[in-house]
Amino acid sequence: EIVPSVMRLNETLQHCETFENQLQTVYQTTSELMEAIFDERSEILPLAALDTCVESLVYCLNRDENDVMPIVLRIIPEAYTTHNHSTDVAIFSIILGKSTGLAKESLKEVAYAGLLHDIGKIRIDQSLLLKPTYLETEEVELIQQHSNYGLEILQNNGIVNPRILDAVHYHHEKLDGQGYPARLRGKMIPKFARIIGMCDVFDALTTQRTFRSNYTSYEALIVIKQQMADQFDENYTDTFIRLLGSSRK
């Protein structure tokens, strides 16, 4: 049972000797919680456990003295799973948010939305999500419904924070208006959705999928910068490039 170990997370972190051990522990615990949520496919979310994971992630990553990106890239698994991806996006969103001036409470909101950005996928058939080849048009449209489903699931759990709800609902919108579900353009896309959207694509590109091998972090950012320049907020892309520096995944 993962929830009790999540609720002991603060106590566990006190026994970690290094920052990397702390981050590894939070990563592992958070990813296991997300795995349980996706496996159980229950729409009743363990809100207290999610809050604890978010608090611990922000606690670890919201520090001035640590250059966290190289450590993060070291601990993130290369193979793609929905639960690891959810954790990755939350982590990258905290780092990017902090680097663009978000305060602690805002970091918690963007981390929460990052963890749950794909929660709507629990309503979608697993065989479709795990299909090892490229998807047909109607299959893509089915999967795109996860943005709307995610909004409904959060609202049904009593989550009312509009910044979290909008980030989950609109994380697939693109600046050029070619995203979904509402084809929003430019600054009409909420800030947290823009942050999560970029982190979502970066993580998806740098983890191995059944239908292609993964990019290095440098290659992924070149793709985002050159081929997707009209889709993502340049401020976030450039900040991400600066954060990665010479790090390689």
Side-chain angles (χ1 to χ4, degrees):
E1 180 63 35
I2 181 61
V3 169
S5 68
V6 171
M7 302 314 289
R8 293 192 300 272
L9 188 53
N10 288 335
E11 184 185 336
T12 307
L13 290 181
Q14 292 172 14
H15 300 290
C16 294
E17 293 182 358
T18 66
F19 170 74
E20 187 159 350
N21 286 346
Q22 271 193 341
L23 192 55
Q24 181 79 58
T25 300
V26 175
Y27 186 95
Q28 191 69 35
T29 306
T30 304
S31 189
E32 287 173 7
L33 175 66
M34 296 310 297
E35 183 175 22
I37 290 170
F38 282 110
D39 284 352
E40 289 166 17
R41 299 168 74 81
S42 167
E43 296 194 12
I44 302 168
L45 299 176
L47 298 180
L50 286 163
D51 283 339
T52 299
C53 286
V54 165
E55 290 271 354
S56 298
L57 285 167
V58 172
Y59 167 77
C60 280
L61 296 166
N62 189 30
R63 299 182 182 185
D64 293 330
E65 69 272 18
N66 290 101
D67 179 14
V68 297
M69 190 65 90
I71 298 170
V72 166
L73 293 177
R74 253 197 322 271
I75 67 172
I76 286 177
E78 282 199 350
Y80 180 94
T81 61
T82 304
H83 54 275
N84 284 342
H85 172 66
S86 300
T87 309
D88 298 350
V89 170
I91 286 174
F92 288 135
S93 297
I94 294 168
I95 295 171
L96 183 54
K98 180 178 186 297
S99 299
T100 51
L102 292 187
K104 186 178 179 183
E105 280 309 305
S106 293
L107 293 179
K108 289 179 185 176
E109 291 168 341
V110 81
Y112 204 96
L115 266 189
L116 294 172
H117 76 284
D118 274 346
I119 193 63
K121 288 183 177 177
I122 65 176
R123 289 190 185 175
I124 294 170
D125 191 275
Q126 287 295 292
S127 63
L128 189 56
L129 294 174
L130 299 172
K131 187 178 176 182
T133 54
Y134 284 98
L135 299 168
E136 304 297 329
T137 303
E138 60 271 20
E139 293 174 326
V140 170
E141 290 170 357
L142 278 172
I143 288 180
Q144 286 181 350
Q145 284 299 315
H146 80 274
S147 297
N148 294 322
Y149 296 156
L151 173 67
E152 289 175 14
I153 290 167
L154 295 193
Q155 289 174 323
N156 291 343
N157 278 272
I159 294 168
V160 296
N161 184 317
R163 290 178 293 278
I164 293 173
L165 295 176
D166 284 350
V168 170
H169 195 200
Y170 298 126
H171 71 276
H172 280 293
E173 299 289 355
K174 302 287 187 281
L175 293 192
D176 60 6
Q178 297 303 304
Y180 63 87
R183 297 177 75 85
L184 299 180
R185 284 181 169 273
K187 301 295 187 196
M188 290 173 64
I189 304 168
K191 182 197 293 187
F192 290 2
R194 280 181 271 143
I195 290 174
I196 289 168
M198 218 218 84
C199 295
D200 179 28
V201 169
F202 174 79
D203 188 68
L205 288 172
T206 54
T207 44
Q208 289 172 350
R209 308 300 289 267
T210 50
F211 49 84
R212 60 153 175 77
S213 58
N214 57 310
Y215 293 88
T216 66
S217 53
Y218 175 75
E219 290 166 344
L221 284 167
I222 293 296
V223 169
I224 290 170
K225 185 77 175 163
Q226 294 182 353
Q227 298 177 28
M228 307 177 184
D230 52 354
Q231 297 181 21
F232 296 106
D233 191 314
E234 187 177 36
N235 178 36
Y236 296 138
T237 311
D238 291 346
T239 301
F240 217 97
I241 290 169
R242 181 172 55 76
L243 282 166
L244 280 162
S246 60
S247 299
R248 290 290 183 269
K249 182 172 177 181

